[in-house]
Amino acid sequence: NLRINKLLTKLKGEKYIFSNATKTYVTYALNYMKIINIFTNIATKSNFYHVKPDKKSYKYVIKEFNDTNENG
């Protein structure tokens, strides 16, 4: 987990999670790996109707992450 943490923190820019899993599961996994604080935002199937690989899910997540960044 330390190695993952170091590698992720070396990446420049904000980091996002986009998963077909539930928010509960993603949050659990990221907390378990002690890397949840590295990510700016998390999008899961709990947030949107369409899941990957449907193009609508990507459009929704991009819009949602952009809106979040603009509105703080």
Side-chain angles (χ1 to χ4, degrees):
N1 292 342
L2 259 179
R3 185 166 184 220
I4 291 171
N5 193 318
K6 285 181 182 181
L7 290 171
L8 286 171
T9 53
K10 283 183 180 181
L11 294 173
K12 294 182 183 190
E14 296 178 325
K15 292 145 200 80
Y16 301 91
I17 294 285
F18 176 29
S19 173
N20 282 348
T22 63
K23 184 152 189 151
T24 302
Y25 180 78
V26 172
T27 302
Y28 169 81
L30 295 174
N31 275 318
Y32 181 81
M33 295 187 306
K34 296 180 172 74
I35 58 173
I36 195 162
N37 294 331
I38 293 172
F39 297 95
T40 302
N41 206 339
I42 301 168
T44 66
K45 73 177 188 178
S46 306
N47 300 96
F48 46 88
Y49 179 72
H50 302 282
V51 295
K52 297 182 286 184
D54 190 314
K55 279 196 266 184
K56 292 176 188 170
S57 66
Y58 292 92
K59 289 179 182 179
Y60 174 83
V61 169
I62 289 167
K63 182 185 179 321
E64 189 69 22
F65 286 163
N66 284 336
D67 288 349
T68 300
N69 288 339
E70 289 172 4
N71 297 323

